[in-house]
Amino acid sequence: MMRHTITADDEVIVNASHVRGLSAYGPGWGLMWNGREVFIARAETADDGSIFEIVDFEAIAASHALRTEYGEPSNDDTVAADFTDIAHDYLDEWLRVHPMMFMTAPYTTALRPYGIHRTRQGKATANGYQIATEYRIGAIGATARIVMDIMAQTHRSATPIMITITGPCEPGTPPATTYTATVPHHTPPAAIAALIATAAGLPPHIAHAYPRRDNTGFPQEPAYIEVDVAHVRGLSAYGPGWTLMWDGTGAVITRAGNGDEGALLEIISYEDMCQLRDNRAEQGDPHDDRTIAADLTDILCDHHHTWADALAYTDTSPAGTVAIS
């Protein structure tokens, strides 16, 4: 498959269907862009900079709340227009920093079990030799900032890693710095994550094993194939003309025609899912989102290996349909 090189001239369009879908998915999911289309994926999919993250669920919710607070129209169309504009601003920055994000990804992965999540991509510092990444400490509403030299992981720089934590603040007032530290450039990500969690006052028991094989936080062939309840809710929110497909690493919602070349396995269309739900209801069977997700998991498992075998004879790559750079 031909890979698209993303440039500043590319146009990123967020529409109301994307906003509805992301709102249905819930926390931990985000809108991504791969150079061709906008799609929903787990937020950690963009950790290494291979695809562009437009917005996460939390930011969509905050945008609705902010518009309501200021008495402005707050619906899926207005919020979609906001993030279309914002995406263009962030894309310019992402083009500068995405080659460096592979260095920050291990720290992002190490912080996630503590409930500390990256807020968009990093930013290049004024001197151009460092990348700064900010993290949302959800439990206390504070922000952690990690600044590292771009050569640190290749051991060609002895510049220490700088850590800053700022507390929550009232709108219009500057955040107050509550903690600063410098640590050697070779400090393991797990040690830095523990340091930030401790400095933020988070109790040790909030950490939990990250639920993905090898605890890497990056897309891999899963240990088992599953359609999540969030996928069902997302497809319901998207509406007619959209389809749930499997790209080799996870389920994605996209337009039906995007599976024509065989690089995506079609699980079910919006229309067929509605029919499946109606059939269950007519027969008096459970037809809630969890039951439908279980049905679709069974359907996917039945067809996955046949599709994978057929794909081996083509020149397409499942991952290339999502992680195009």
Side-chain angles (χ1 to χ4, degrees):
M1 174 177 290
M2 183 68 69
R3 289 179 176 265
H4 176 79
T5 300
I6 298 174
T7 71
D9 295 327
D10 283 315
E11 190 172 19
V12 185
I13 302 295
V14 178
N15 60 43
S17 294
H18 299 132
V19 175
R20 283 196 301 272
L22 184 56
S23 298
Y25 267 53
W29 297 81
L31 286 182
M32 311 291 172
W33 186 67
N34 59 14
R36 296 189 314 172
E37 62 183 347
V38 175
F39 62 96
I40 296 176
R42 295 293 304 183
E44 61 268 16
T45 309
D47 282 352
D48 64 353
S50 59
I51 57 175
F52 173 53
E53 178 183 329
I54 303 168
V55 61
D56 60 15
F57 169 84
E58 290 80 4
I60 288 279
S63 179
H64 276 298
L66 192 62
R67 277 185 159 273
T68 301
E69 181 182 340
Y70 284 96
E72 297 177 356
S74 178
N75 54 52
D76 295 333
D77 287 299
T78 57
V79 171
D82 284 346
F83 283 103
T84 294
D85 292 339
I86 290 171
H88 295 155
D89 297 334
Y90 280 117
L91 180 59
D92 288 340
E93 182 66 36
W94 179 81
L95 288 168
R96 288 192 290 273
V97 303
H98 83 93
M100 313 176 203
M101 287 179 65
F102 78 94
M103 298 186 309
T104 67
Y107 301 87
T108 301
T109 300
L111 283 163
R112 191 175 295 115
Y114 293 97
I116 302 174
H117 300 282
R118 175 177 54 79
T119 57
R120 305 191 187 279
Q121 70 268 352
K123 282 191 172 184
T125 57
N127 62 19
Y129 296 110
Q130 294 175 313
I131 180 171
T133 308
E134 292 192 345
Y135 298 87
R136 179 174 50 239
I137 307 177
I140 61 174
T143 299
R145 190 171 192 257
I146 298 178
V147 179
M148 65 175 61
D149 195 275
I150 62 175
M151 296 296 183
Q153 287 204 352
T154 60
H155 299 282
R156 292 201 295 264
S157 170
T159 304
I161 294 173
M162 293 171 284
I163 300 169
T164 306
I165 297 178
T166 54
C169 62
E170 294 297 323
T173 61
T177 299
T178 60
Y179 178 84
T180 59
T182 57
V183 297
H185 69 91
H186 56 269
T187 304
I192 287 181
L195 174 65
I196 291 175
T198 301
L202 302 182
H205 69 267
I206 72 162
H208 56 83
Y210 188 64
R212 195 179 280 265
R213 192 174 65 182
D214 300 327
N215 291 341
T216 62
F218 295 109
Q220 298 179 23
E221 182 66 24
Y224 56 92
I225 310 295
E226 183 177 24
V227 175
D228 193 272
V229 173
H231 297 127
V232 174
R233 292 172 182 161
L235 185 58
S236 298
Y238 266 53
W242 295 86
T243 301
L244 186 65
M245 300 193 185
W246 182 263
D247 73 347
T249 60
V252 297
I253 295 176
T254 185
R255 289 289 187 184
N258 290 332
D260 289 349
E261 63 187 9
L264 290 169
L265 169 63
E266 181 175 330
I267 304 170
I268 198 166
S269 66
Y270 168 84
E271 293 79 3
D272 287 344
M273 188 175 74
C274 290
Q275 186 62 54
L276 174 62
R277 199 186 295 272
D278 289 344
N279 290 344
R280 276 188 154 275
E282 288 176 7
Q283 295 169 12
D285 294 331
H287 53 280
D288 57 284
D289 291 337
R290 190 167 300 280
T291 302
I292 298 299
D295 280 354
L296 299 185
T297 295
D298 291 340
I299 292 170
L300 176 58
C301 291
D302 289 342
H303 296 287
H304 176 261
H305 292 295
T306 302
W307 168 76
D309 290 342
L311 194 67
Y313 292 95
T314 72
D315 293 329
T316 57
S317 165
T321 62
V322 170
I324 297 175
S325 60

